[in-house]
Amino acid sequence: MKESREKVSNYDEFAQFYDRIVEGFRYNDLAEYCDDTIRKNGVNGGILLDLACGTGTVSQMMAEFGWDVIGVDISPEMLSNAKQHEKITYICQDMTMLDLYGTVDAAICTFDALNHLLSDEDLSSAFERVSLFMNPGGVFVFDMNTVYCHKTIFAGNIFVSDTFKEKDNVYCVRNHVYAGGGTTVMTLNIFSEGADGKYTRRRECNVERAYRLDRVRELCEQAGLDVIGCYDFLTENPASEMSERVVFVCKKTVENPA
């Protein structure tokens, strides 16, 4: 087995395998949930920001629902794997320094991307940039893993995702080490079979931080985003600190905070 060097990255090496490894995830349910939630809260179309859009799978689904989508991601490798769509504009940017040419009517951020921001300052910056470029009354929907999830579900556990197809043999082993303070170090080992029948291992390390729900609410409201709901993932059941993954629904106040 060949092995590439270990690296800490923004899923650069992972990008080419991302869609295959997470293909069992409920993409359709997630996109429908975001679309329904935004529309239920008064925004029925227009420009939608998909923050940390990755390979653009959810972006494409939102475009199919009629949104004009701007997909933003920090990883050029992820964006290079995104399929082109006439209603999607892809931009390579850090979410904490979001800088759009105009405003948007709605925004989403999925797959716990905001957990990759490791400080209150960075999380606050992301919220402030979304708020700055959102029209008054706009709706922002995002999901996050919780402290409970990091401490009890992830900590010390190994997860295997596999995709076996006629022409592919790829799987990913994720190892989680809880470092305290809501922070978990995740090591991704990606094994792929080459034409010679030998496997190559690619390894990447990423870090997530989980935040208390009341702290997320506080940072949103400081940025001019009123939290109008916090739910267990893909439900309308109120979330708690014992939830594993939650969805926040925010609405942009009329004015940005001073």
Side-chain angles (χ1 to χ4, degrees), residues 91-105:
I91 303 173
C92 188
Q93 285 185 355
D94 184 329
M95 72 176 87
T96 65
M97 296 183 285
L98 180 71
D99 188 14
L100 304 179
Y101 293 108
T103 55
V104 301
D105 302 291

Side-chain angles (χ1 to χ4, degrees), residues 22-39:
V22 301
E23 68 175 354
F25 191 84
R26 297 156 62 189
Y27 275 116
N28 288 327
D29 290 346
L30 177 59
E32 289 177 3
Y33 181 91
C34 290
D35 181 66
D36 288 346
T37 300
I38 293 168
R39 294 181 190 276

Side-chain angles (χ1 to χ4, degrees), residues 23 79 167 175 177 201:
E23 68 175 354
L79 293 178
K167 296 182 179 179
N175 180 52
V177 177
R201 181 171 71 176

Side-chain angles (χ1 to χ4, degrees), residues 227-243:
V227 177
I228 57 178
C230 180
Y231 307 106
D232 285 330
F233 189 58
L234 300 188
T235 76
E236 294 184 353
N237 301 324
S240 73
E241 295 294 345
M242 299 294 287
S243 300

Side-chain angles (χ1 to χ4, degrees), residues 3-206:
E3 182 172 353
S4 63
R5 65 186 181 86
E6 182 172 356
K7 58 190 295 188
V8 178
S9 71
N10 297 294
Y11 290 129
D12 293 343
E13 194 87 49
F14 192 40
Q16 62 182 302
F17 302 106
Y18 184 81
D19 287 324
R20 280 174 286 175
I21 290 172
V22 301
E23 68 175 354
F25 191 84
R26 297 156 62 189
Y27 275 116
N28 288 327
D29 290 346
L30 177 59
E32 289 177 3
Y33 181 91
C34 290
D35 181 66
D36 288 346
T37 300
I38 293 168
R39 294 181 190 276
K40 285 178 181 177
N41 286 283
V43 180
N44 292 306
I47 301 174
L48 179 138
L49 169 67
D50 186 359
L51 194 65
C53 66
T55 59
T57 301
V58 175
S59 299
Q60 295 164 50
M61 293 179 179
M62 298 304 285
E64 295 299 330
F65 291 146
W67 298 96
D68 293 312
V69 179
I70 300 172
V72 171
D73 200 275
I74 195 173
S75 168
E77 286 79 7
M78 280 289 200
L79 293 178
S80 70
N81 283 273
K83 295 179 181 178
Q84 300 305 307
H85 190 290
E86 62 181 4
K87 298 188 72 174
I88 301 176
T89 299
Y90 291 112
I91 303 173
C92 188
Q93 285 185 355
D94 184 329
M95 72 176 87
T96 65
M97 296 183 285
L98 180 71
D99 188 14
L100 304 179
Y101 293 108
T103 55
V104 301
D105 302 291
I108 61 174
C109 187
T110 58
F111 290 104
D112 51 88
L114 288 166
N115 288 108
H116 290 275
L117 301 179
L118 304 182
S119 69
D120 286 22
E121 292 77 14
D122 281 349
L123 186 59
S124 177
S125 293
F127 290 152
E128 289 171 359
R129 301 307 288 182
V130 170
S131 180
L132 177 64
F133 290 102
M134 180 171 283
N135 291 323
V139 177
F140 180 29
V141 178
F142 61 90
D143 65 62
M144 298 185 80
N145 289 323
T146 64
V147 174
Y148 176 82
C149 177
H150 277 231
K151 291 178 68 175
T152 64
I153 307 300
F154 284 172
N157 288 322
I158 297 174
F159 301 89
V160 179
S161 300
D162 56 37
T163 56
F164 294 102
K165 298 184 178 181
E166 292 181 2
K167 296 182 179 179
D168 274 342
N169 194 346
V170 177
Y171 64 98
C172 176
V173 179
R174 297 184 296 140
N175 180 52
H176 298 79
V177 177
Y178 185 68
T183 301
T184 296
V185 179
M186 179 172 64
T187 302
L188 303 171
N189 288 284
I190 305 161
F191 300 85
S192 60
E193 185 179 17
D196 58 1
K198 296 181 179 180
Y199 282 88
T200 297
R201 181 171 71 176
R202 297 167 174 84
R203 180 178 296 168
E204 297 199 21
C205 291
N206 285 276

